[in-house]
């Protein structure tokens, strides 16, 4: 099927949701994607921070192939081996005592939200409100879109569920002030991804952790984008020396196979009981087999070190070539998750489009910010090529 036919079908029959680039990818190898016209692209966006092992990773492909031939799905009415292995892997460091597997970041956050509500109803505390940050992003279900601190995502879908309030990000006083007796949890991203690649300051996140502890309320960290090694640690919160009560993972967890999870400790881990929550697909053998490869490489191999090294190289290359440029207002992030805030005189979307025509995929987020989130196996040569091309675009743009 050619691209024109594909575009025609989507235009007529797919819900009018996505502004897609006029490209159809067919296969990938390492950090390179190939489209149906045979063009190659170096991928610095990884399917929105998902394809952490790159494309066609031999171990991941083999694990999925073998598991697909054995058993793909049984439901959670029965035990399955890959799920038990993944459960053991994710809890072996003792940080979290229980996990729940689901299929998307939004669902993982739904689980976290239900834990807060369940604890409130069990104890009769009335602590059902969850504080989240302005410019945050937590997903597209009704509850998570309401948790998301950007009205544009939720306003058209009123009436919205009650129980969420937004506070300014990186403002500890605002968080303290907003914590009325009805507040049961604070939910934050360590680095706001969708909202503009803005890291929580050290003092803010550590302060929020200490404050939640002092108040006896839960700290939920949405690590859907920052988790699973993206910043050089398994969880981004490890950079801050803290530990939340609940953490959610998704994007990178299955290396491209849909799987997400909600991990909890203490009373949060014990709140949900039979009948409270569930999923048909979540934690099925196929998805867990994929995640076991990703988590295994992060736990047993040198992949985390690789992310740190590649991330340092990326940060250095970006700042060496771009920081002095008049269009570049800020370069920020951690590990292999970096944002470049651009001056409003140049459009981030246009820059990403120009990069695409030069054979490099990068993303955008927030207010005119480029988002860079390559596979963990990205090379220094690929990184240099990407930053050279960005520099060329900025240098040749006259305004
Ligand atoms: C992508 C994202 C989500 C939503 O994940 P889905 O899999 O699209 O539901 C939630 N939180 C954060 C921080 C994300 O980056």
């Amino acid at each position: 099927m050619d691209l024109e036919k594909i575009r025609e079908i989507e235009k007529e029959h797919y819900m009018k949701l996505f502004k897609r680039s006029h490209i159809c990818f067919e296969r990938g190898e390492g950090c390179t994607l190939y489209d149906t016209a045979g063009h190659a692209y170096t991928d610095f966006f990884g399917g929105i921070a998902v394809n952490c092992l790159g494309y066609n990773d031999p171990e991941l492909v083999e694990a999925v192939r073998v598991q697909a031939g054995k058993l793909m799905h049984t439901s959670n009415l029965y035990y399955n081996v890959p799920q038990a292995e993944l459960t053991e892997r994710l809890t072996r460091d003792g940080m979290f005592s229980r996990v729940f597997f689901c299929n998307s970041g939004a669902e993982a956050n739904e689980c976290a939200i239900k834990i807060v509500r369940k604890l409130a109803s069990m104890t009769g505390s009335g602590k059902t409100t969850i504080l989240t940050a302005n410019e945050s992003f937590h997903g597209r279900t009704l509850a998570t879109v309401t948790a998301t601190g950007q009205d544009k995502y939720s306003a058209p879908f009123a009436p919205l569920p009650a129980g969420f309030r937004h506070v300014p990000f990186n403002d500890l006083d605002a968080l303290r002030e907003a914590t009325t007796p009805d507040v049961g949890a604070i939910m934050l991203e360590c680095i706001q991804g969708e909202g503009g690649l803005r890291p929580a300051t050290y003092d803010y996140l550590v302060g929020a952790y200490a404050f939640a502890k002092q108040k006896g309320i839960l700290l939920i960290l949405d690590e859907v984008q920052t988790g699973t090694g993206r910043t050089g640690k398994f969880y981004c919160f490890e950079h801050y020396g803290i530990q939340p009560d609940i953490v959610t993972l998704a994007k990178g967890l299955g290396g491209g196979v849909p799987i997400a999870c909600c991990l909890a400790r203490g009373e949060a881990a014990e709140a949900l009981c039979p009948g409270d929550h569930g999923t048909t697909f979540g934690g099925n053998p196929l998805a867990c087999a994929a995640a076991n490869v990703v988590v295994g490489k992060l736990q047993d191999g040198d992949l985390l070190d690789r992310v740190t090294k590649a991330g340092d190289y990326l940060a250095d290359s970006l700042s060496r070539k771009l920081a002095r440029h008049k269009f570049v207002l800020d370069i920020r992030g951690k590990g292999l998750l970096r944002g470049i805030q651009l001056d409003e005189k140049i459009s981030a979307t246009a820059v990403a489009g120009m990069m695409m025509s030069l054979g490099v995929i990068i993303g955008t987020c927030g207010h005119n910010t480029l988002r860079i989130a390559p596979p963990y196996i990205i090379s220094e040569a690929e990184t240099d090529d990407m930053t050279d091309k960005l520099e060329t675009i900025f240098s040749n743009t006259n305004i």
Side-chain angles (χ1 to χ4, degrees):
M1 197 183 287
D2 68 13
L3 186 52
E4 285 318 306
K5 179 72 182 163
I6 293 166
R7 286 178 65 184
E8 198 183 300
I9 293 169
E10 120 99 44
K11 190 162 176 264
E12 290 291 312
H13 300 298
Y14 198 84
M15 289 205 189
K16 296 173 279 181
L17 290 170
F18 302 112
K19 283 188 212 143
R20 303 185 204 241
S21 301
H22 297 151
I23 293 178
C24 179
F25 291 118
E26 203 167 35
R27 67 191 175 87
E29 189 67 45
C31 296
T32 306
L33 276 169
Y34 298 89
D35 69 12
T36 45
H39 299 123
Y41 303 79
T42 313
D43 189 4
F44 276 84
F45 202 32
I48 319 187
V50 166
N51 300 318
C52 57
L53 303 184
Y55 299 96
N56 207 14
D57 176 85
E59 273 180 66
L60 179 59
V61 170
E62 185 60 12
V64 170
R65 197 198 311 275
V66 168
Q67 191 58 51
K70 254 196 220 168
L71 190 62
M72 287 193 267
H73 177 84
T74 58
S75 88
N76 283 304
L77 297 174
Y78 318 99
Y79 297 106
N80 80 70
V81 176
Q83 187 186 101
E85 277 176 17
L86 186 58
T87 300
E88 195 279 326
R89 277 195 177 280
L90 290 171
T91 53
R92 71 163 65 144
D93 60 15
M95 276 200 251
F96 299 97
S97 52
R98 294 188 188 277
V99 66
F100 169 74
F101 294 114
C102 46
N103 314 288
S104 67
E107 274 179 83
N109 289 334
E110 285 276 344
C111 178
I113 293 163
K114 284 179 77 172
I115 288 174
V116 177
R117 303 270 179 102
K118 179 73 195 305
L119 279 172
S121 66
M122 273 163 73
T123 59
S125 69
K127 290 180 172 294
T128 53
T129 300
I130 299 175
L131 298 180
T132 66
N134 290 342
E135 310 297 322
S136 60
F137 184 83
H138 297 296
R140 301 287 199 157
T141 61
L142 271 178
T144 57
V145 90
T146 309
T148 292
Q150 305 182 62
D151 283 352
K152 66 175 178 188
Y153 290 118
S154 59
F157 306 106
L160 300 171
F164 297 94
R165 284 211 310 269
H166 306 129
V167 292
F169 189 51
N170 275 335
D171 183 341
L172 204 50
D173 288 336
L175 195 64
R176 288 201 188 99
E177 241 164 70
T179 306
T180 43
D182 58 309
V183 171
I186 300 165
M187 179 152 115
L188 297 168
E189 291 159 272
C190 298
I191 301 174
Q192 291 191 330
E194 211 68 30
L197 230 295
R198 295 192 304 156
T201 63
Y202 183 83
D203 288 348
Y204 180 65
L205 209 55
V206 172
Y209 165 76
F211 177 68
K213 205 166 184 169
Q214 174 209 329
K215 282 279 176 186
I217 61 181
L218 300 176
L219 178 64
I220 303 168
L221 292 180
D222 176 347
E223 292 231 30
V224 164
Q225 187 154 175
T226 55
T228 332
R230 174 58 56 189
T231 68
K233 305 254 190 214
F234 191 84
Y235 303 106
C236 187
F237 67 70
E238 295 174 76
H239 292 286
Y240 297 81
I242 59 164
Q243 205 197 316
D245 302 285
I246 302 175
V247 70
T248 53
L249 300 175
K251 287 189 165 80
L253 185 58
V257 176
I259 179 167
C261 72
C262 176
L263 285 145
R265 65 189 177 108
E267 60 172 0
E270 309 302 326
L272 297 179
C273 303
D276 281 339
H277 197 46
T279 169
T280 300
F281 291 123
N284 84 16
L286 188 73
C288 290
N292 275 322
V293 174
V294 174
V295 176
K297 282 184 188 240
L298 290 165
Q299 287 181 337
D300 308 331
D302 62 354
L303 195 55
L304 280 177
D305 289 339
R306 227 178 136 159
V307 174
T308 302
K309 280 205 193 93
D312 287 348
Y313 191 87
L314 171 63
D316 185 62
S317 186
L318 288 171
S319 69
R320 256 186 307 117
K321 291 182 202 162
L322 306 178
R324 60 178 179 77
H325 224 284
K326 65 177 184 226
F327 295 127
V328 175
L329 300 183
D330 190 23
I331 301 172
R332 51 189 183 240
K334 272 194 174 71
L336 285 174
L337 187 60
R338 303 279 168 173
I340 307 168
Q341 177 75 54
L342 300 181
D343 187 278
E344 63 194 20
K345 290 195 186 74
I346 192 167
S347 143
T349 310
V351 171
M354 287 185 258
M355 288 295 278
M356 191 67 123
S357 61
L358 295 174
V360 179
I361 303 167
I362 58 174
T364 61
C365 60
H367 305 286
N368 215 31
T369 304
L370 298 173
R371 178 165 36 159
I372 294 173
Y376 300 170
I377 55 167
I378 199 79
S379 71
E380 294 183 355
E382 286 165 325
T383 299
D384 284 334
D385 178 65
M386 183 273 290
T387 53
D388 281 345
K389 283 176 172 152
L390 272 180
E391 188 183 26
T392 305
I393 289 171
F394 291 146
S395 301
N396 293 342
T397 303
N398 293 310
I399 290 161

